Amino acid sequence: MIVVATEDFELYHGVVNELRDRGVNFTTVEPGDDLPEGTRVLVTSADDDVGDESTGDGAGAADPTDYEVVVGDPDSPRRAVEEALALLRSGEGRIVIGVDPGTRPGIAVLSGDVVVAAFHVPLADAVATIREEVADAVDPVVRVGDGARLQSARIVQDLEDVTVELVDETGTTPYLGTGARGMGDVLAAANIARLEGETVEERDVEPTAGELGVIQRRSRERSPDNREIDEELARRVAAGELTIEEALDEHRGDGRSGN
Protein backbone atom coordinates (compact mmCIF):
# COMPACT_ATOMS: atom_id res chain seq x y z
CA MET A 1 0.00 0.00 0.00
CA ILE A 2 1.10 3.59 -0.69
CA VAL A 3 0.87 6.07 2.18
CA VAL A 4 1.06 9.85 1.71
CA ALA A 5 2.32 11.81 4.70
CA THR A 6 3.23 15.44 4.12
CA GLU A 7 2.37 18.93 5.32
CA ASP A 8 3.29 20.35 1.91
CA PHE A 9 -0.10 21.41 0.52
CA GLU A 10 0.95 21.41 -3.17
CA LEU A 11 2.74 18.06 -2.97
CA TYR A 12 -0.15 16.47 -1.07
CA HIS A 13 -2.83 17.50 -3.54
CA GLY A 14 -0.65 16.80 -6.57
CA VAL A 15 0.21 13.28 -5.42
CA VAL A 16 -3.30 12.46 -4.22
CA ASN A 17 -4.85 13.62 -7.50
CA GLU A 18 -2.33 11.60 -9.53
CA LEU A 19 -3.04 8.47 -7.48
CA ARG A 20 -6.79 8.93 -7.81
CA ASP A 21 -6.54 9.48 -11.57
CA ARG A 22 -4.65 6.17 -11.88
CA GLY A 23 -7.08 4.25 -9.68
CA VAL A 24 -4.39 3.42 -7.10
CA ASN A 25 -5.35 2.38 -3.57
CA PHE A 26 -3.64 4.57 -0.99
CA THR A 27 -4.14 6.21 2.38
CA THR A 28 -2.96 9.40 4.06
CA VAL A 29 -1.66 10.08 7.55
CA GLU A 30 -0.24 13.08 9.36
CA PRO A 31 3.57 13.34 9.39
CA GLY A 32 4.80 11.82 12.66
CA ASP A 33 1.86 9.42 13.04
CA ASP A 34 2.48 5.69 12.99
CA LEU A 35 2.16 4.24 9.51
CA PRO A 36 -0.50 1.56 9.03
CA GLU A 37 0.44 -2.08 8.82
CA GLY A 38 1.01 -3.10 5.20
CA THR A 39 2.72 0.15 4.20
CA ARG A 40 5.01 -0.56 1.24
CA VAL A 41 5.85 2.97 0.04
CA LEU A 42 5.76 6.26 1.94
CA VAL A 43 5.48 9.48 -0.07
CA THR A 44 6.62 12.57 1.81
CA SER A 45 8.57 15.80 1.33
CA ALA A 46 12.10 16.77 2.29
CA ASP A 47 10.74 19.09 4.99
CA ASP A 48 8.47 16.56 6.71
CA ASP A 49 9.60 14.81 9.88
CA VAL A 50 8.66 11.18 9.35
CA GLY A 51 11.81 9.62 10.75
CA ASP A 52 12.00 8.89 14.45
CA GLU A 53 8.29 9.28 15.18
CA SER A 54 7.05 6.91 12.44
CA THR A 55 9.01 3.99 13.81
CA GLY A 56 6.27 1.46 13.96
CA ASP A 57 6.25 1.36 17.77
CA GLY A 58 2.49 1.69 17.98
CA ALA A 59 0.08 -1.25 17.91
CA GLY A 60 -0.36 -2.60 14.38
CA ALA A 61 2.04 -0.04 12.93
CA ALA A 62 4.35 -0.72 9.98
CA ASP A 63 7.92 -1.85 10.54
CA PRO A 64 10.22 0.80 8.97
CA THR A 65 12.30 -1.95 7.38
CA ASP A 66 9.27 -3.05 5.33
CA TYR A 67 8.65 0.11 3.29
CA GLU A 68 10.50 2.47 0.93
CA VAL A 69 10.44 6.27 1.17
CA VAL A 70 9.86 8.53 -1.83
CA VAL A 71 10.73 12.20 -1.27
CA GLY A 72 8.50 14.17 -3.63
CA ASP A 73 8.89 17.57 -5.25
CA PRO A 74 5.73 19.75 -5.24
CA ASP A 75 6.61 20.91 -8.75
CA SER A 76 6.62 17.31 -10.04
CA PRO A 77 4.08 15.14 -8.19
CA ARG A 78 3.80 12.80 -11.18
CA ARG A 79 7.45 11.85 -10.83
CA ALA A 80 6.90 10.94 -7.16
CA VAL A 81 3.90 8.80 -8.04
CA GLU A 82 5.79 7.04 -10.82
CA GLU A 83 8.65 6.22 -8.46
CA ALA A 84 6.22 4.99 -5.81
CA LEU A 85 4.39 2.74 -8.28
CA ALA A 86 7.64 1.29 -9.60
CA LEU A 87 8.79 0.47 -6.06
CA LEU A 88 5.39 -0.98 -5.20
CA ARG A 89 5.20 -3.25 -8.23
CA SER A 90 8.73 -4.24 -9.06
CA GLY A 91 11.19 -2.63 -6.71
CA GLU A 92 13.05 -1.26 -9.75
CA GLY A 93 12.60 2.38 -10.67
CA ARG A 94 14.97 3.05 -13.56
CA ILE A 95 13.47 5.32 -16.21
CA VAL A 96 13.57 3.75 -19.68
CA ILE A 97 12.09 5.56 -22.67
CA GLY A 98 11.17 3.72 -25.84
CA VAL A 99 10.83 5.61 -29.13
CA ASP A 100 9.17 4.34 -32.28
CA PRO A 101 10.59 6.85 -34.79
CA GLY A 102 8.69 8.41 -37.66
CA THR A 103 7.18 11.74 -38.64
CA ARG A 104 5.10 11.45 -35.42
CA PRO A 105 7.12 9.25 -33.07
CA GLY A 106 5.48 7.14 -30.41
CA ILE A 107 7.15 7.61 -27.03
CA ALA A 108 6.62 5.38 -23.98
CA VAL A 109 8.11 6.06 -20.55
CA LEU A 110 8.69 3.08 -18.29
CA SER A 111 9.63 3.15 -14.63
CA GLY A 112 10.76 -0.38 -13.94
CA ASP A 113 8.24 -2.55 -15.77
CA VAL A 114 5.42 -0.02 -15.51
CA VAL A 115 4.40 2.28 -18.37
CA VAL A 116 3.96 5.60 -16.58
CA ALA A 117 3.53 7.99 -19.52
CA ALA A 118 3.01 7.90 -23.28
CA PHE A 119 3.17 10.48 -26.06
CA HIS A 120 2.50 10.73 -29.80
CA VAL A 121 4.09 13.97 -30.98
CA PRO A 122 5.49 15.62 -34.13
CA LEU A 123 9.12 14.79 -34.80
CA ALA A 124 10.12 18.39 -34.03
CA ASP A 125 8.79 17.97 -30.45
CA ALA A 126 10.17 14.48 -29.77
CA VAL A 127 13.55 15.40 -28.29
CA ALA A 128 12.10 18.09 -26.03
CA THR A 129 9.51 15.60 -24.76
CA ILE A 130 12.19 13.00 -24.06
CA ARG A 131 14.44 15.52 -22.31
CA GLU A 132 11.59 16.57 -20.03
CA GLU A 133 10.96 12.96 -19.05
CA VAL A 134 14.61 12.15 -18.27
CA ALA A 135 15.23 15.36 -16.32
CA ASP A 136 16.31 14.51 -12.75
CA ALA A 137 16.07 10.77 -13.46
CA VAL A 138 18.91 8.58 -12.20
CA ASP A 139 20.77 6.79 -15.01
CA PRO A 140 17.96 6.92 -17.60
CA VAL A 141 18.25 5.21 -20.98
CA VAL A 142 16.49 6.02 -24.25
CA ARG A 143 15.89 3.12 -26.63
CA VAL A 144 15.20 4.15 -30.22
CA GLY A 145 13.88 1.77 -32.87
CA ASP A 146 16.13 1.32 -35.89
CA GLY A 147 13.36 1.83 -38.45
CA ALA A 148 12.53 5.18 -40.12
CA ARG A 149 16.26 5.73 -40.24
CA LEU A 150 16.29 9.43 -41.11
CA GLN A 151 13.95 10.30 -38.24
CA SER A 152 15.72 7.99 -35.79
CA ALA A 153 19.08 9.53 -36.78
CA ARG A 154 17.76 13.00 -35.95
CA ILE A 155 16.59 11.86 -32.50
CA VAL A 156 19.89 10.08 -31.75
CA GLN A 157 21.95 13.08 -32.83
CA ASP A 158 19.99 15.49 -30.63
CA LEU A 159 20.27 13.32 -27.48
CA GLU A 160 24.04 13.53 -27.17
CA ASP A 161 24.05 13.88 -23.36
CA VAL A 162 21.73 10.92 -22.68
CA THR A 163 22.47 7.19 -22.92
CA VAL A 164 20.85 6.05 -26.17
CA GLU A 165 20.50 2.50 -27.45
CA LEU A 166 19.51 1.58 -31.00
CA VAL A 167 17.06 -1.32 -30.92
CA ASP A 168 16.02 -3.81 -33.58
CA GLU A 169 12.33 -2.94 -33.78
CA THR A 170 11.33 -5.97 -35.85
CA GLY A 171 8.02 -7.30 -34.55
CA THR A 172 7.43 -4.51 -32.01
CA THR A 173 4.28 -3.13 -33.67
CA PRO A 174 1.31 -5.15 -32.39
CA TYR A 175 -1.88 -6.12 -34.18
CA LEU A 176 -4.46 -3.38 -33.67
CA GLY A 177 -8.06 -4.38 -33.25
CA THR A 178 -11.18 -2.31 -33.83
CA GLY A 179 -11.03 1.09 -32.15
CA ALA A 180 -7.26 1.02 -31.58
CA ARG A 181 -6.27 3.25 -34.49
CA GLY A 182 -3.44 5.61 -33.59
CA MET A 183 -2.16 3.44 -30.74
CA GLY A 184 0.31 1.40 -32.78
CA ASP A 185 3.27 3.79 -32.52
CA VAL A 186 2.90 4.17 -28.75
CA LEU A 187 2.51 0.43 -28.16
CA ALA A 188 5.53 -0.23 -30.37
CA ALA A 189 7.48 2.31 -28.30
CA ALA A 190 6.58 0.43 -25.11
CA ASN A 191 7.82 -2.80 -26.66
CA ILE A 192 11.03 -1.10 -27.86
CA ALA A 193 11.67 0.16 -24.31
CA ARG A 194 11.74 -3.44 -23.07
CA LEU A 195 14.41 -4.55 -25.55
CA GLU A 196 18.12 -4.07 -24.97
CA GLY A 197 19.97 -2.48 -27.88
CA GLU A 198 23.39 -1.27 -28.90
CA THR A 199 24.62 1.94 -27.29
CA VAL A 200 25.20 4.63 -29.91
CA GLU A 201 26.43 8.23 -29.82
CA GLU A 202 25.50 9.20 -33.35
CA ARG A 203 23.72 7.85 -36.38
CA ASP A 204 24.87 9.64 -39.50
CA VAL A 205 22.63 8.38 -42.27
CA GLU A 206 23.06 9.64 -45.83
CA PRO A 207 19.62 9.83 -47.45
CA THR A 208 19.16 7.67 -50.50
CA ALA A 209 18.03 8.98 -53.86
CA GLY A 210 14.66 7.38 -53.23
CA GLU A 211 14.26 9.09 -49.85
CA LEU A 212 15.16 12.46 -51.37
CA GLY A 213 12.65 11.81 -54.13
CA VAL A 214 9.90 11.18 -51.56
CA ILE A 215 10.67 14.49 -49.84
CA GLN A 216 10.64 16.33 -53.18
CA ARG A 217 7.32 14.75 -54.13
CA ARG A 218 5.81 15.71 -50.79
CA SER A 219 6.98 19.30 -51.27
CA ARG A 220 5.16 19.42 -54.60
CA GLU A 221 1.99 18.00 -53.02
CA ARG A 222 2.06 20.65 -50.29
CA SER A 223 2.89 23.56 -52.56
CA PRO A 224 -0.13 25.64 -53.64
CA ASP A 225 1.67 26.50 -56.90
CA ASN A 226 2.93 22.98 -57.67
CA ARG A 227 6.56 23.73 -56.80
CA GLU A 228 9.10 21.03 -56.04
CA ILE A 229 12.20 21.74 -53.98
CA ASP A 230 15.60 20.79 -55.38
CA GLU A 231 17.92 18.08 -54.06
CA GLU A 232 19.95 20.48 -51.91
CA LEU A 233 16.88 21.62 -49.99
CA ALA A 234 15.58 18.04 -49.82
CA ARG A 235 18.83 17.01 -48.12
CA ARG A 236 18.35 19.76 -45.53
CA VAL A 237 14.82 18.53 -44.89
CA ALA A 238 16.14 14.97 -44.50
CA ALA A 239 18.73 16.21 -41.98
CA GLY A 240 16.03 17.92 -39.94
CA GLU A 241 17.38 21.40 -40.63
CA LEU A 242 14.19 22.51 -42.38
CA THR A 243 10.57 21.47 -42.57
CA ILE A 244 9.11 21.01 -46.05
CA GLU A 245 7.22 24.28 -45.62
CA GLU A 246 10.42 26.14 -44.72
CA ALA A 247 12.21 24.57 -47.68
CA LEU A 248 9.42 25.76 -49.98
CA ASP A 249 9.75 29.28 -48.57
CA GLU A 250 13.49 29.24 -49.29
CA HIS A 251 12.80 27.86 -52.75
CA ARG A 252 10.47 30.78 -53.52
CA GLY A 253 12.80 33.32 -51.92
CA ASP A 254 15.69 32.20 -54.13
CA GLY A 255 13.53 32.61 -57.18
CA ARG A 256 13.94 29.01 -58.18
CA SER A 257 11.36 27.77 -60.66
CA GLY A 258 9.04 24.87 -59.96
CA ASN A 259 9.00 21.67 -61.94
Side-chain angles (χ1 to χ4, degrees):
M1 177 175 60
I2 294 176
V3 177
V4 182
T6 179
E7 293 181 348
D8 188 308
F9 179 84
E10 292 185 9
L11 177 64
Y12 176 88
H13 283 278
V15 168
V16 166
N17 288 336
E18 283 279 344
L19 291 169
R20 285 174 176 163
D21 288 345
R22 298 172 190 235
V24 178
N25 290 325
F26 68 96
T27 191
T28 64
V29 299
E30 292 293 326
D33 288 353
D34 283 329
L35 303 181
E37 189 174 2
T39 299
R40 294 277 306 283
V41 182
L42 170 65
V43 181
T44 186
S45 80
D47 296 328
D48 289 309
D49 183 8
V50 294
D52 296 337
E53 295 181 25
S54 296
T55 58
D57 293 335
D63 186 324
T65 63
D66 290 340
Y67 62 83
E68 302 283 349
V69 177
V70 173
V71 178
D73 182 341
D75 292 330
S76 185
R78 179 166 71 87
R79 181 77 71 189
V81 170
E82 290 168 0
E83 184 179 348
L85 289 173
L87 290 168
L88 184 67
R89 294 172 178 170
S90 68
E92 186 68 39
R94 186 187 193 190
I95 296 294
V96 180
I97 297 182
V99 183
D100 183 31
T103 55
R104 287 184 61 85
I107 301 172
V109 184
L110 276 64
S111 180
D113 290 330
V114 181
V115 178
V116 295
F119 306 89
H120 197 213
V121 298
L123 179 61
D125 298 333
V127 170
T129 300
I130 293 167
R131 287 191 181 281
E132 183 175 348
E133 293 303 309
V134 300
D136 301 324
V138 178
D139 191 29
V141 60
V142 179
R143 292 173 174 161
V144 182
D146 62 357
R149 61 197 190 106
L150 295 178
Q151 289 86 2
S152 67
R154 178 175 173 182
I155 292 171
V156 169
Q157 301 286 52
D158 290 345
L159 289 173
E160 54 196 22
D161 55 346
V162 181
T163 299
V164 179
E165 295 179 1
L166 198 61
V167 173
D168 180 358
E169 65 177 56
T170 303
T172 56
T173 301
Y175 167 76
L176 298 178
T178 303
R181 177 179 294 180
M183 296 176 59
D185 295 336
V186 173
L187 293 174
N191 288 333
I192 288 169
R194 293 188 169 96
L195 299 174
E196 292 188 6
E198 179 182 352
T199 302
V200 293
E201 295 182 357
E202 60 180 15
R203 194 182 191 202
D204 186 11
V205 178
E206 179 69 18
T208 66
E211 288 166 337
L212 293 174
V214 169
I215 293 172
Q216 289 177 292
R217 185 175 69 251
R218 287 177 179 168
S219 72
R220 187 169 186 170
E221 292 170 351
R222 297 186 189 183
S223 172
D225 49 2
N226 206 35
R227 290 177 180 266
E228 183 178 284
I229 61 176
D230 60 23
E231 184 175 315
E232 177 188 345
L233 288 171
R235 285 183 181 277
R236 294 178 64 189
V237 172
E241 297 175 10
L242 298 173
T243 65
I244 288 180
E245 287 72 17
E246 290 169 341
L248 282 166
D249 287 342
E250 285 205 17
H251 183 89
R252 296 188 188 96
D254 290 343
R256 304 173 188 177
S257 60
N259 289 343

